[in-house]
Amino acid sequence: MLYREVFSASLSKLSAFRLWYFLTGLVAWHCCEYGYSLRETSSSLLLNSLPNACAVVITTSLCLLLYPSQEFKSLSGVAAGLIIYECIQPYIPERTFDVMDILATAAGAVLMLALIITRRRTAKVLTHLSDS
């Protein structure tokens, strides 16, 4: 019986964990789509780099759906990969290098880091409350 209770509690935490990152990725996807629709009517520098910031959040969220225990490794790998991709764009036909895209990727990484820390703190508080 104890094994079943521990397994059930672990599965419940894992499901909530994955739901958190699924919803995070979904919200970032909609923000990116909304930014694309605004780009048609406005040529803002922020809107041009918004997909880079959203890409970090979306891709990290997808990685965490598959590998939930690798939060910081997933985030650092995704951010590094996107920055490397931006740096090699001058050598790819029909691509351009833009420093603002690197800054937007870094901003997306900081946002995702804040979301990871918030999720961890929330989980600790909820665990503490349920143990009390």
Side-chain angles (χ1 to χ4, degrees), residues 2 24 27-28 30 89 91 96 98 125 129:
L2 180 62
T24 300
V27 167
H30 284 290
Q89 280 190 5
Y91 307 105
T96 57
D98 188 3
V125 168
L129 289 175

Side-chain angles (χ1 to χ4, degrees), residues 9-32:
S10 296
L11 187 60
S12 175
K13 286 180 184 177
L14 185 60
S15 296
F17 177 87
R18 286 187 168 158
L19 179 63
W20 169 269
Y21 286 116
F22 174 76
L23 292 175
T24 300
L26 192 63
V27 167
W29 178 270
H30 284 290
C31 287
C32 189

Side-chain angles (χ1 to χ4, degrees), residues 14 23 31 38 40 42 47 56 59 66 74 76-77 81 100 103-104 106 109 111 113 115 118 122 128:
L14 185 60
L23 292 175
C31 287
L38 290 178
E40 294 174 3
S42 172
L47 289 176
V56 175
T59 310
L66 299 173
S74 294
S76 59
M100 287 304 296
L103 294 175
L111 173 64
L113 179 63
L115 291 170
T118 301
T122 304
H128 180 64

Side-chain angles (χ1 to χ4, degrees), residues 30-43:
H30 284 290
C31 287
C32 189
E33 288 296 317
Y34 182 68
Y36 274 126
S37 68
L38 290 178
R39 282 171 56 176
E40 294 174 3
T41 60
S42 172
S43 62

Side-chain angles (χ1 to χ4, degrees), residues 69-91:
S69 64
Q70 304 294 321
E71 292 171 311
F72 296 111
K73 285 182 182 180
S74 294
L75 174 59
S76 59
V78 166
L82 289 171
I83 289 172
I84 290 169
Y85 172 69
E86 186 65 35
C87 290
I88 64 171
Q89 280 190 5
Y91 307 105

